[in-house]
Amino acid sequence: MPAVKNQKPRGREPALIGLFLILSLIFLPLVGAQEYDYEINAYAVYFEVIDQNNIRETVEIDLTPHTNLSQYVIYTAYPVENASAVLDLGNRVERINVTVREVLGGTNAIYMTFPTLEVGQSARIGLTFTTRGMVSENGGNEQFTYYIKFSQPVGVFHMQLLVPRGYAILSPIIPSPDRVESSTDRLLLEWKRSNVRPGDEFYFIVGFSGEITVPKPPSPWLYLGVFIIGLLLGGGSVYGYILYRERKREEELTHLRSDEEKLLAMLKEGPVLQSELAEKLGVSKAKVSIILREMEEKGLITRTKEGRTYRVFLKE
């Protein structure tokens, strides 16, 4: 049989395919890891409700670049005012140049430019700005809403909402917070998610009442007014009591004078025993003693001891 010309050995092709498969298995994880320019270790968003119209938003991103990185962009559907940012490198903090531009569909792009981060150099971006539109009216109350969707993996996602004193949290609260903390000047709600995957989205809804007017402390003049009124009422009560006592005393003196006149009329007919006067005058023995003592002081009568009582004489 004639030799077959240009025929290649059959053992080399399977060997090359096997080598390719082995190299793919080794380098495929590395290719996947380099799919993104940076790795987001943690992503945190903090919202502080200032009033029904304004919210202070702070975004903190802990990342490690896989290539040299000097710019980071955040997109938001809400207004951005007074934006400022810093880059925390651990041993120093650098200021970040922030530029806000409106892009397609009314979305705002926040461009943050900073000194170049080298491969593997971890850093934290901190962005703060004032926004509005997240709080809307719903059935006479207020409702906070926030939506976020991630386009790449995130190690830990942290979301926090600060509501100042004067507001009361109402339903709905979606999703249920992982932590609720109350203090004298604020109410804090916190959510935390780990191992966020590309395409994961989160929608937050928190209802709360409109601002409650906190009563102002009473004016010092009010306390002074209450004190003066109390003083007047107390003084009036004392004065009224004094008048009552005076009137009562006058009435008693009137009765005494009337009884004195009756007693003088009796004594004009002759001396009388003191023990008999109470029955004749229709008064108590104690009152008879008072009448006689006063008449004696006035020099109208005299008394002489007679047994266990006195005999009363009209003084000439």
Side-chain angles (χ1 to χ4, degrees):
M1 181 182 291
V4 178
K5 296 181 179 180
N6 299 326
Q7 185 174 357
K8 297 180 181 179
R10 295 180 180 275
R12 295 181 63 186
E13 185 175 351
L16 289 173
I17 293 173
L19 181 60
F20 175 76
L21 290 175
I22 292 172
L23 292 175
S24 297
L25 291 173
I26 293 174
F27 291 104
L28 185 60
L30 297 178
V31 172
Q34 300 297 327
E35 182 179 351
Y36 305 101
D37 292 339
Y38 46 82
E39 180 180 351
I40 300 179
N41 307 309
Y43 193 103
V45 188
Y46 305 95
F47 296 99
E48 182 181 358
V49 177
I50 300 172
D51 53 42
Q52 286 94 333
N53 299 318
N54 298 294
I55 289 179
R56 183 178 293 108
E57 179 175 349
T58 299
V59 181
E60 291 184 355
I61 307 160
D62 189 334
L63 53 80
T64 304
H66 298 309
T67 182
N68 289 346
L69 185 68
S70 60
Q71 189 179 74
Y72 191 92
V73 185
I74 293 179
Y75 297 92
T76 176
Y78 300 100
V80 177
E81 297 176 356
N82 305 318
S84 63
V86 294
L87 183 69
D88 187 352
L89 298 170
N91 56 352
R92 71 181 190 278
V93 176
E94 300 280 352
R95 292 195 63 83
I96 293 178
N97 182 34
V98 181
T99 304
V100 181
R101 295 176 186 168
E102 186 175 340
V103 295
L104 217 55
T107 301
N108 288 308
I110 307 174
Y111 295 91
M112 292 177 283
T113 305
F114 42 81
T116 302
L117 294 175
E118 297 179 355
V119 177
Q121 183 183 6
S122 296
R124 175 175 293 180
I125 297 173
L127 169 68
T128 301
F129 58 92
T130 303
T131 186
R132 59 182 180 277
M134 296 179 182
V135 178
S136 59
E137 187 175 348
N138 182 22
N141 294 316
E142 308 296 329
Q143 183 171 288
F144 169 86
T145 56
Y146 176 67
Y147 168 80
I148 186 171
K149 182 177 181 178
F150 291 97
S151 59
Q152 70 178 78
V154 174
V156 177
F157 170 53
H158 185 206
M159 155 80 174
Q160 191 178 88
L161 175 64
L162 268 175
V163 180
R165 184 177 65 176
Y167 291 88
I169 297 298
L170 308 171
S171 61
I173 303 179
I174 302 172
S176 296
D178 298 306
R179 184 167 73 102
V180 177
E181 180 182 296
S182 178
S183 64
T184 56
D185 59 347
R186 69 177 188 177
L187 181 64
L188 181 146
L189 292 88
E190 188 175 79
W191 297 263
K192 189 176 182 180
R193 299 291 183 269
S194 300
N195 301 319
V196 178
R197 298 169 299 178
D200 281 356
E201 54 187 357
F202 301 94
Y203 194 50
F204 298 90
I205 302 176
V206 178
F208 53 89
S209 66
E211 186 173 6
I212 302 170
T213 303
V214 180
K216 294 182 179 179
S219 169
W221 292 106
L222 177 61
Y223 292 112
L224 181 60
V226 171
F227 174 75
I228 293 174
I229 291 173
L231 193 62
L232 292 174
L233 290 175
S237 300
V238 172
Y239 181 68
Y241 177 75
I242 293 173
L243 289 179
Y244 168 78
R245 292 294 298 170
E246 289 294 329
R247 189 178 300 111
K248 192 75 174 175
R249 183 173 178 79
E250 288 180 1
E251 290 176 357
E252 290 176 354
L253 289 175
T254 300
H255 287 303
L256 284 175
R257 285 193 295 269
S258 176
D259 292 334
E260 284 180 1
E261 292 172 356
K262 292 179 182 178
L263 185 55
L264 288 174
M266 291 180 188
L267 293 176
K268 286 181 180 179
E269 296 178 358
V272 182
L273 290 174
Q274 182 171 330
S275 57
E276 299 174 355
L277 289 177
E279 183 178 350
K280 291 183 178 181
L281 292 174
V283 296
S284 64
K285 292 181 179 180
K287 190 170 183 179
V288 168
S289 297
I290 294 172
I291 297 171
L292 293 176
R293 186 174 63 251
E294 291 188 354
M295 292 180 70
E296 211 169 19
E297 291 173 355
K298 294 176 183 179
L300 298 176
I301 61 169
T302 56
R303 288 184 294 176
T304 58
K305 188 71 174 175
E306 188 170 319
R308 299 179 61 184
T309 184
Y310 291 91
R311 185 171 292 278
V312 184
F313 297 87
L314 184 63
K315 195 170 184 179
E316 298 296 337

